[in-house]
Amino acid sequence: MIVIGERKIKIGIALSGGGYRAAAFHLGVFRKLKQLRILDKLDVISTISGGSIAGAYYLLNKDDFDKFEISFTSNLQKSVVKRIIFHWRFLTPIFLFLGISWILFYDPFKFEFSKKITILSFAFIFIIGVLFQFKILSFSQLKIKAYKKIFFKDLKISDLPDSPAIALNATNLSTGTLWTFSKNKTSDSSYEYPKDGGNSIKFNCSDMPIAIAVASSTSVPVPFDPILIDKKYYENLNDFNRIKPRLIDGGLYDNQGIHKISQPNSSYSCDIILVSDGSQPFNNLFKSSNTFFILYRGIDVMMRKIKNLQFIRDVYSANREIAYFSLDWKYNLCVEEFIRAARKGQVFPAVLSYHGLTDQILKKPTSEIVSFINNKINYMGIIEKGLSNEEISKVSKIGTNLTALKKTEIDLLSRHAETLTDLQINLYCPTLTNNIKK
C-alpha cells in the first residue's frame, strides 16, 4: 500500500495460470518489483494455477528474497509429472491392469477361457476402471504429495504471512464459481447465501496444508480429479452434509487471476492492478485426431472467451491504473498498444495527463507519439536487457505443464517478465513510479 495525501491506495497483482512456464515468468515479475521497491508495497496477490505455485512459494520465503529466488529456480527444475508417474500408487494399478489383460488374452496358466469370457472380463475391468477412476487412482492426491516434496513440505495456510494477503483461486464445480483460499478467509461466494435457505456456510482452513490449496488451484480437468474439502475444515460440522465442494483448476473461471482484485465488492479489491499473464496464447491452427484433443480445444475456447470478457470489463478500463502484460508480447508493440488504448478512451485519465497525451497529441501520427512516449519512459533503457523477438517466440512455445524446466528456459522467461513488468508499469501505472523511490 502507498499513501498519497490522506488517501490509501491498495496495490494488487494477479498471477495467471500456465504451469511451470507461468511460474518461471512470475519469478521475473517478483524480481523486477523488488528492484523497483514495489514488491513490499503489495497488498494482495491473486493467483491461479501455475501462479499459485509462484505466489504461495514467494510468500513463504518473502523475508529472504535471494534465498527464494535461488530455491524456486532450483525447484522448477524438478518435475511434478515425473514424481506422479513413478509413484507406486500410479504404477500398481497400471501393472495390475496389464497383468490381468495378459492372463486373459494369452492364458499362460492354461485356464482355457472362452472368447466370450475373455471379452466380458476385459470389458468389466475397463468399465470398473472408468466408473471408479478417481477411487482407484487419484492424480490430484499424487500431485499433492509431489508439491509437498518439491515446494511446500508440511507447511500450512496459517504459515502464510498476514501481508500481502494471498487469494489462491480454484473453480468449484459444485457452484460454478470461484473458491478462494487465504490465511484469514476461505470461501465461495455462493455459500454466503445457500440455495437451501439456511445459514451461511463458513470454512476454517488455517490448518490445511498449502500443498492441498495449490493443488486445488492447479487441477486441470481430465487428468486431475477434483479435490474435496474434508469435514474438519467446516466451521459447523453439520454443514458437511449440506454441500459438496469439488475443486479444480481456477483457470476455468478466471485464468488471469484478475477477478478477485478487480471487483469493487470484493474484500481483495485494489486501486492499482498488475496482471502477469504467462498462460498459453490461443493458437489459431487446430488439427483434431481424436475426442481428447477436441475436449481440450473446447476448454481453450471457453478460457479464451472468459479472457476476452475480462479484458472488456477489467483491463480495457479507464477507471483505474492497470498494467497487463502477456508472455508472448513483443516490446515495441506494447507502446503501440498503449497509444491505441489511449485513443479509444481505455486508459485512466490521470495516466494520460502524466504522459502529456492531450487530445491534440493523440491525433498526431502513431510514429510521432511512439517516439514521444519512448523518450518519456526511457524505452531503450528498459528493453536493453530484454529478449530478442526470436527468443520471445521461443519461450512462448514452452509447454504449460508441470514438467521440469531447464535453467536456461527459466532465465529467459524471468528476464522477459522483468522487461515487460518495467515497461508496462512505466506506461500504465505512473503512480507507482512517481511515489515509490527507486
Side-chain angles (χ1 to χ4, degrees):
M1 180 182 294
I2 59 176
V3 179
I4 301 178
E6 296 182 354
R7 185 187 175 203
K8 295 180 179 179
I9 297 177
K10 290 180 65 177
I11 306 169
I13 184 169
L15 305 179
S16 79
Y20 269 15
R21 185 183 75 171
F25 185 71
H26 301 323
L27 171 61
V29 177
F30 285 134
R31 186 188 300 145
K32 177 52 65 175
L33 293 180
K34 177 72 172 178
Q35 293 171 3
L36 297 176
R37 300 182 65 181
I38 296 173
L39 190 58
D40 292 337
K41 303 293 184 181
L42 292 178
D43 294 283
V44 181
I45 300 177
S46 177
T47 67
I48 296 288
S49 199
S52 294
I53 300 174
Y57 193 82
Y58 161 68
L59 287 181
L60 292 170
N61 298 274
K62 67 183 290 290
D63 294 333
D64 189 338
F65 189 85
D66 290 338
K67 179 181 178 181
F68 153 71
E69 185 174 3
I70 293 171
S71 62
F72 195 54
T73 299
S74 174
N75 291 341
L76 288 176
Q77 297 174 67
K78 302 171 185 176
S79 174
V80 168
V81 173
K82 184 177 180 180
R83 288 185 178 274
I84 290 175
I85 63 176
F86 285 103
H87 195 281
W88 68 267
R89 290 179 62 182
F90 175 85
L91 294 175
T92 298
I94 298 297
F95 283 123
L96 186 60
F97 174 77
L98 292 175
I100 294 175
S101 299
W102 178 63
I103 292 173
L104 286 173
F105 285 99
Y106 292 97
D107 195 15
F109 302 110
K110 307 302 180 183
F111 291 123
E112 298 182 355
F113 299 117
S114 68
K115 185 176 181 180
K116 182 178 180 180
I117 292 295
T118 299
I119 294 174
L120 288 175
S121 298
F122 186 80
F124 175 77
I125 294 171
F126 180 79
I127 292 171
I128 291 297
V130 171
L131 292 178
F132 300 97
Q133 173 189 344
F134 299 147
K135 296 290 185 181
I136 298 171
L137 178 59
S138 171
F139 284 102
S140 291
Q141 292 302 314
L142 295 182
K143 180 163 61 174
I144 290 171
K145 292 179 179 294
Y147 280 165
K148 286 185 176 182
K149 187 71 174 180
I150 298 174
F151 296 104
F152 306 113
K153 308 301 185 258
D154 291 319
L155 293 174
K156 304 180 185 301
I157 291 179
S158 58
D159 292 312
L160 291 166
D162 293 324
S163 180
I166 188 169
L168 296 160
N169 298 298
T171 302
N172 188 351
L173 288 179
S174 297
T175 63
T177 54
L178 277 183
W179 171 288
T180 303
F181 295 97
S182 66
K183 182 174 182 178
N184 298 316
K185 179 182 179 182
T186 294
S187 67
D188 177 326
S189 59
S190 299
Y191 295 143
E192 295 294 324
Y193 304 96
K195 290 184 177 181
D196 63 8
N199 295 328
S200 297
I201 301 170
K202 300 184 182 300
F203 306 86
N204 185 351
C205 296
S206 60
D207 288 333
M208 176 183 284
I210 293 176
I212 295 179
V214 174
S216 300
S217 182
T218 61
S219 288
V220 178
V222 181
F224 294 104
D225 47 301
I227 289 179
L228 313 182
I229 301 299
D230 286 347
K231 187 175 183 178
K232 62 184 177 180
Y233 298 121
Y234 287 72
E235 286 196 358
N236 184 344
L237 298 183
N238 293 326
D239 287 337
F240 181 75
N241 296 319
R242 293 173 62 193
I243 59 168
K244 290 292 183 289
R246 298 290 186 272
L247 309 183
I248 59 170
D249 195 291
L252 289 187
Y253 192 92
D254 167 24
N255 199 38
Q256 278 60 55
I258 192 175
H259 182 79
K260 284 293 181 180
I261 57 177
S262 63
Q263 300 309 298
N265 60 343
S266 170
S267 59
Y268 303 98
S269 180
C270 292
D271 303 295
I272 298 177
I273 295 175
L274 312 177
V275 185
S276 174
D277 188 357
S279 62
Q280 185 70 44
F282 191 81
N283 189 344
N284 291 326
L285 298 176
F286 173 67
K287 295 180 181 180
S288 62
S289 56
N290 56 53
T291 303
F292 185 81
F293 284 112
I294 293 176
L295 175 62
Y296 261 110
R297 183 61 168 187
I299 294 174
D300 285 342
V301 171
M302 179 183 65
M303 293 173 68
R304 186 191 188 198
K305 179 181 179 181
I306 294 169
K307 182 176 180 178
N308 288 341
L309 290 173
Q310 288 180 319
F311 264 62
I312 294 170
R313 185 187 64 193
D314 302 318
V315 176
Y316 293 137
S317 169
N319 298 324
R320 73 182 103 198
E321 294 179 46
I322 177 168
Y324 168 90
F325 45 93
S326 179
L327 183 146
D328 62 326
W329 282 11
K330 296 176 174 61
Y331 310 132
N332 63 306
L333 298 181
C334 292
V335 179
E336 294 180 15
E337 173 61 21
F338 173 73
I339 296 169
R340 184 204 65 78
R343 285 171 169 166
K344 296 181 70 173
Q346 296 171 339
V347 177
F348 194 49
V351 175
L352 297 179
S353 177
Y354 169 78
H355 289 297
L357 293 177
T358 63
D359 291 340
Q360 184 177 1
I361 291 179
L362 287 173
K363 291 177 182 178
K364 292 184 177 182
T366 299
S367 59
E368 290 187 26
I369 307 176
V370 167
S371 179
F372 174 77
I373 293 296
N374 285 350
N375 290 331
K376 176 83 175 180
I377 66 173
N378 186 26
Y379 172 81
M380 295 306 297
I382 291 174
I383 70 166
E384 183 179 11
K385 296 182 180 179
L387 273 56
S388 65
N389 287 345
E390 291 74 19
E391 288 174 321
I392 294 173
S393 297
K394 178 181 178 181
V395 297
S396 297
K397 295 176 182 177
I398 296 173
T400 55
N401 47 48
L402 298 173
T403 56
L405 294 177
K406 298 176 182 177
K407 178 64 162 54
T408 53
E409 293 175 326
I410 298 172
D411 291 341
L412 287 173
L413 285 164
S414 60
R415 182 153 57 92
H416 183 40
E418 282 189 80
T419 304
L420 283 173
T421 302
D422 200 0
L423 180 57
Q424 294 299 87
I425 285 178
N426 274 277
L427 286 172
Y428 289 91
C429 299
T431 297
L432 296 181
T433 58
N434 286 343
N435 293 279
I436 299 177
K437 292 183 179 181
K438 299 180 182 180

